[in-house]
Amino acid sequence: MQLSNPQSLSDGFQELADSIWSQAAGPQPPEENASGIREILAELLRKAAAGNGFVPLRDLQPSPSVLAELTHYPHLFTLEGEFLMLPRYAHHCEVIRSFFTTRLEARFPRFNHTLVAAHLDALLPRQILTGFDNAQQRLAIALLVDASVGVLTGGPGTGKTTTAAALLALRRRLDPTLSSDRILVTAPTGKAACRIAEAITKSASLLQDLTEVEKHFLRSIRAITLHRALEWGPLPPEKGGPFQRNANSPLNASIVLVDEASMVDLSLMHALVKAMPAHASLYLLGDSDQLKSVDVGGILSELVQRAGLARRLDAARQGLLQARLQLSADEVQTHFEAGLPSLTSPQTDPLPGLVAGLKYSRRAMNAPWILSLADVVRPGTHQSLDSFLEIFQTKDNTHALAWHRQNAETARKSFCATQWKEWVEKSHAWTELLQASTDGDLLPKRSEALALLEKFQLLCSTNAQVNRANNEGIALLQKERSSGSPLPHGCPIIILSNQRSLGLSNGDVGIALGSTHGEASLVALFPSADGIPRLVPMAQLPAHQPAFALTIHKSQGSEWQHIAIELPSDPDSTILTRNLLYTAITRSSRAIDLFGPESVIQHLLKT
């Protein structure tokens, strides 16, 4: 047997596994099998301690006899397809699947097809955006508007949040009694929650034919993190924690919308479905090709695969689909199949569901090569290094796309220093922004400073790369800085843990501000969902760190005009995955600079 990390045998988990095994009930296998089982249990415990409660069988490579023995110990192991997981996570999967199956079998109210078509034509006329074909968005709204549960998936720039806002507006038009306080919009991180709140607010100006009451309805919808929505607390499960919202105290909502659903881990999704009101609709938005959550994830991807297939088999739902297609624009029928998410693997046990996929991207108008590059590394594809190189060769004569393959680390350092120079120069004028003044000029100046955060970002594959780059950025702001000293004025920062009392969440990004350039920061400036930047004293901040560089994992749910991606230096590194690189590439809207050896990409594309 080959473990994915042999060090697990010496990090204490083997001893714990041996102790658990000694108390395990069940038939005693031959010693050679018992030894293999203990090693598998140690690896599973190590993964669980790191927030990942399952291991692919291909990583474990158990012998047939050991694999057969595992089925005798259901209180220790659960085989879930090609994965081995702890029973706790298997139970979460069972609850989530049962929730979706039950909701889709229940009879929810259906809106009149003719009314749906008429109001949709008024709110989102065909091609209201020049050069952007919104047929798939219109179809998605028509399919999901009266769904008890639904998934809206699509790549970057496909308009998922705009579609979601139009969906909410249509629900309000069809049900005038629906109030904004019955709409719960959530996301796994504070930053993602802010972004969808901003998108919904902007949609009040984008959508057509809205009354002032309907505009107010959209603008008054607020977004919060899932942890805050579920009222997370410090109590352990045996005392009713950690979430106060549950089956006995469900969420107070008629519609629950979750953005960046690919980031929602298994435990959090389990808590969400347990807290869903009996007659509320649940909508999940996200890109199923992005990274799964750091914890046990893959829920969105599984729902896309299972629900997409089941929809083809569901005669009743096909009837609804055909009725909506007939009342939609003529071109919708031809776009329907193109809008379906690709099913990378057949499912023998499909989960019924309703999935709408968006594939036509606004980004294709300004930077189509970003989508082409993402398609090459997209999970489930099998394109070669030549396909990857061809895109760079086409764009190498522009400033939009470049691959720095030689002396990558040195080139990255020089490149980022140049990019950060503008940031450092503009930060000199930000000392006035920390004033707690009612001066009306300060608000736009604070917004302008925060807007720079979305101009350029370095994304790294490892924490070591992040730490090195952050020290380089800080050196540009302050020449001398000892370990543990306060962050200097002008330093971008990222929050690493939730602090509900301050309205800050893991992943929120802001700017540290001081009284003069080069001095220690006193406060931090953060954006907020209401569009009014706010100041928080540095001494009150939860755990945080500089944000000149971020890991690709922390970049999910964000977008920058220009990104630099630092690849691992080891060509055989297993850190870089297709999901990871796909996520990094799709964070950019205009330009990408890639730093790393060609061998890393070549190794990646073989997986």
Side-chain angles (χ1 to χ4, degrees), residues 46-301:
R46 185 188 69 82
K47 289 284 190 179
N52 190 351
F54 67 92
V55 182
L57 287 177
R58 66 174 180 272
D59 289 350
L60 296 169
Q61 297 183 10
S63 66
S65 60
V66 169
L67 184 59
E69 291 287 354
L70 294 178
T71 61
H72 296 151
Y73 304 93
H75 55 295
L76 296 180
F77 308 101
T78 300
L79 279 170
E80 176 73 22
E82 297 299 317
F83 295 93
L84 188 68
M85 62 174 63
L86 295 173
R88 172 194 174 197
Y89 293 110
H91 172 69
H92 287 349
C93 286
E94 182 180 350
V95 170
I96 292 169
R97 289 173 184 150
S98 175
F99 166 83
F100 278 91
T101 301
T102 302
R103 285 301 174 99
L104 288 161
E105 290 175 349
R107 294 182 60 84
F108 266 66
R110 296 294 182 191
F111 297 114
N112 179 273
H113 299 326
T114 303
L115 282 178
V116 169
H119 290 320
L120 182 56
D121 284 340
L123 294 170
L124 194 69
R126 182 166 59 94
Q127 292 182 320
I128 62 170
L129 299 177
T130 303
F132 180 75
D133 187 345
N134 64 1
Q136 291 180 358
Q137 293 179 313
R138 289 164 50 81
L139 174 62
I141 295 168
L143 289 173
L144 298 176
V145 67
D146 48 10
S148 54
V149 291
V151 175
L152 179 62
T153 185
T158 52
K160 293 186 293 295
T161 53
T162 302
T163 303
L167 173 63
L168 295 177
L170 181 57
R171 285 288 297 259
R172 176 63 171 74
R173 178 72 60 92
L174 292 165
D175 179 11
T177 65
L178 182 64
S179 59
S180 59
D181 60 2
R182 296 290 298 172
I183 309 294
L184 178 57
V185 177
T186 69
T189 68
K191 186 171 185 179
C194 282
R195 288 183 67 88
I196 192 169
E198 292 169 0
I200 292 175
T201 298
K202 289 178 181 178
S203 70
S205 301
L206 176 65
L207 297 176
Q208 306 294 297
D209 194 45
L210 287 177
T211 66
E212 288 303 316
V213 172
E214 290 170 334
K215 289 180 181 179
H216 176 73
F217 165 78
L218 288 176
R219 289 169 179 159
S220 58
I221 292 174
R222 295 291 177 258
I224 57 178
T225 64
L226 268 169
H227 281 83
R228 183 175 178 185
L230 294 169
E231 299 182 15
W232 180 91
L235 290 178
E238 58 269 20
K239 293 187 177 181
F243 298 107
Q244 299 305 302
R245 291 292 182 175
N246 48 47
N248 296 322
S249 179
L251 296 165
N252 181 28
S254 298
I255 297 174
V256 178
L257 189 151
V258 182
D259 194 24
E260 297 295 342
S262 64
M263 299 167 62
V264 180
D265 63 57
L266 194 63
S267 297
L268 192 55
M269 183 65 74
H270 172 259
L272 174 62
V273 301
K274 293 286 285 184
M276 281 294 298
H279 298 290
S281 295
L282 173 63
Y283 297 118
L284 304 179
L285 278 61
D287 184 347
S288 57
D289 288 322
Q290 278 192 38
L291 284 168
K292 298 177 178 63
S293 63
V294 176
D295 196 351
V296 187
I299 298 301
L300 182 68
S301 179

Side-chain angles (χ1 to χ4, degrees), residues 431 434 474 477-478 480-481 484-491 511-524 538-539:
T431 54
L434 58 80
I474 288 176
L477 293 171
Q478 180 175 311
E480 296 182 3
R481 177 175 181 265
S485 63
L487 296 178
H489 166 79
C491 183
I511 304 172
L513 300 173
S515 57
T516 59
H517 174 65
E519 294 298 316
S521 54
L522 303 172
V523 298
M538 293 293 293

